[in-house]
Amino acid sequence: MSPNYPTAQVIHAGLYYGHDSLKTTLCLTGKAMMYSLCAAHSIPHANTKKWIVAQNDQQWEELVKVHNFASSISVPTRFVPLQEAHDREPDVRATAGVLESLSTGIVDSHALMAYLEGDFQARGGECAFHTSVTDIEALPSSAGYKLTTSSPDGYTDSITTETLINSGGLAAVPISNMLLPPERHLKPYYAKGSYFSYSSSFPKPNTLVYPAPSPGLGGLGTHLTLDMAGRVRFGPDVEWVDDPNDLSPNPSRLKEALDEIETYLPGIDREKVGLDYCGIRPKLGRLGAVASGKSFQDFIIREEKGYSGFINLLGIESPGLTSCLAIGDMVEGLLYRNVESHHGQSGKSGGKDMLEGLTSDS
């Protein structure tokens, strides 16, 4: 998503991404690291749990698939008896069944990012905000890379580095294309997601509520999440756009979202739901968010062949926040521990102690 995060984001359990994917591996490891870090440093978070609800037989079958997969990777889920579901959350409709994810939670993402920034700087790191990367050049004899940057006031500068980590989010593909030859260029895709506020105090579930996954969909459906104060919000939906800066809420999305929300929260006051804000997922194609579909896009994290010390992180959408600490460990392994990268490329040992983590318009 783009940097306009709200004050809470979901700590995902790792239910949707299939066996042997980076998303699953990094989400599971990152989830444990996230809970541990937040507890150790008093970063606001909560193990809220999550309900995935089914309204018909087809959706029930999707819940069974999720439960079976979760069991195979030792992620705790349980089917909630319908009477128990009604007693706990009487306003939530789940005609065919409820699957509860016991390890899902939320984290104050602003507090998390503030902690990570402070920790980075305390270890000697320097941040150059509001600085755009405009060009990258590979230096002769694999001596590293020269980056040209510009600031909003027009000032340009250059940086040379032996190690370059492209963690540019929405700008990661354009940054990669600055360095790699044309035959290795990728096309960025942008999935805009609108979020919707809710100004009424009723109904107000105490757990996250997601519709059953839909194979091939670019997201997980317009779901109900909570912030650290217990406020309800809905989203995101999926709208494919061409401009990564298109962050204006689209009023035409509201009715469709309301119709989907009403399938699991029928008592909602439609007049109290409003457009709130948007975020954008960095995609590598118009591909599905769950592995049960025919088109699933995994994370790409690799040292690029022929470009020693250049690590690409591409398509880092959900569960990127949950996975972030594990992604950092993986990148360190690629550079210094000879760990194999995604797509079977070997990591290299060595490099400078100072890692340059650069984004475009960061």
Side-chain angles (χ1 to χ4, degrees):
M1 302 291 283
S2 66
N4 64 328
Y5 285 117
T7 57
Q9 287 286 307
V10 175
I11 302 174
H12 286 286
L15 302 177
Y16 301 111
Y17 316 113
H19 291 97
D20 302 320
S21 74
L22 272 183
K23 285 186 175 181
T24 293
T25 300
L26 295 172
C27 185
L28 297 185
T29 304
K31 175 180 59 175
M33 296 174 72
M34 182 73 70
Y35 277 124
S36 178
L37 181 79
C38 290
H41 298 282
S42 301
I43 298 169
H45 69 290
N47 176 209
T48 57
K49 305 180 183 179
K50 177 176 81 174
W51 282 12
I52 311 172
V53 296
Q55 313 299 344
N56 54 48
D57 290 344
Q58 181 179 358
Q59 291 184 356
W60 170 256
E61 290 176 1
E62 291 299 322
L63 263 59
V64 171
K65 291 178 184 177
V66 172
H67 175 67
N68 290 341
F69 172 68
S71 298
S72 74
I73 58 172
S74 301
V75 172
T77 59
R78 63 180 288 262
F79 288 110
V80 180
L82 290 181
Q83 185 59 53
E84 178 188 338
H86 177 75
D87 292 343
R88 288 173 56 187
E89 297 287 0
D91 301 312
V92 175
R93 175 192 286 161
T95 306
V98 177
L99 181 66
E100 184 173 41
S101 169
L102 302 175
S103 61
T104 300
I106 58 175
V107 61
D108 184 332
S109 57
H110 286 165
L112 172 67
M113 289 186 286
Y115 168 79
L116 293 175
E117 178 187 347
D119 185 62
F120 173 69
Q121 292 174 330
R123 295 169 184 264
E126 297 182 10
C127 299
F129 298 115
H130 306 293
T131 301
S132 299
V133 178
T134 59
D135 187 60
I136 306 175
E137 175 188 351
L139 299 176
S141 304
S142 300
Y145 305 94
K146 178 183 177 181
L147 293 85
T148 302
T149 66
S150 66
S151 58
D153 61 5
Y155 176 75
T156 61
D157 199 359
S158 63
I159 302 169
T160 58
T161 178
E162 293 179 8
T163 300
L164 175 61
I165 302 167
N166 175 18
S167 56
L170 293 172
V173 168
I175 287 174
S176 177
N177 291 347
M178 290 180 189
L179 180 59
L180 298 183
E183 62 272 17
R184 292 167 63 178
H185 285 187
L186 297 173
K187 178 182 177 181
Y189 291 79
Y190 306 109
K192 179 177 175 180
S194 293
Y195 285 86
F196 307 91
S197 61
Y198 190 51
S199 59
S200 176
S201 60
F202 176 85
K204 190 177 181 181
N206 294 308
T207 189
L208 312 187
V209 182
Y210 282 54
S214 178
L217 187 67
L220 298 176
T222 303
H223 43 269
L224 181 155
T225 59
L226 305 169
D227 66 16
M228 295 306 303
R231 289 183 292 262
V232 169
R233 62 186 175 92
F234 302 98
D237 60 1
V238 177
E239 177 186 2
W240 295 101
V241 296
D242 296 323
D243 182 3
N245 299 306
D246 178 9
L247 294 171
S248 299
N250 185 348
S252 69
R253 310 293 297 181
L254 182 57
K255 181 184 182 304
E256 183 179 344
L258 285 168
D259 292 344
E260 183 172 9
I261 294 164
E262 276 192 329
T263 65
Y264 59 82
L265 203 65
I268 193 171
D269 185 343
R270 294 175 70 104
E271 298 300 317
K272 300 295 186 180
V273 179
L275 292 168
D276 196 357
Y277 62 93
C278 295
I280 304 217
R281 307 169 183 89
K283 296 276 194 176
L284 299 175
R286 296 197 175 195
L287 303 174
V290 298
S292 58
K294 293 182 179 179
S295 56
F296 169 70
Q297 177 62 60
D298 201 4
F299 294 153
I300 292 178
I301 301 175
R302 64 192 179 197
E303 182 177 43
E304 293 290 353
K305 185 177 181 180
Y307 293 82
S308 179
F310 174 47
I311 308 293
N312 247 339
L313 287 76
L314 306 175
I316 310 297
E317 52 164 336
S318 182
L321 178 67
T322 305
S323 305
C324 66
L325 301 175
I327 290 173
D329 269 6
M330 180 179 177
V331 171
E332 181 186 24
L334 287 171
L335 289 169
Y336 302 121
R337 298 197 302 269
N338 206 32
V339 171
E340 250 187 34
S341 65
H342 191 38
H343 290 188
Q345 294 180 350
S346 297
K348 302 291 178 72
S349 60
K352 295 176 68 176
D353 292 335
M354 176 68 75
L355 303 184
E356 300 287 346
L358 295 167
T359 64
S360 177
D361 294 320
S362 59

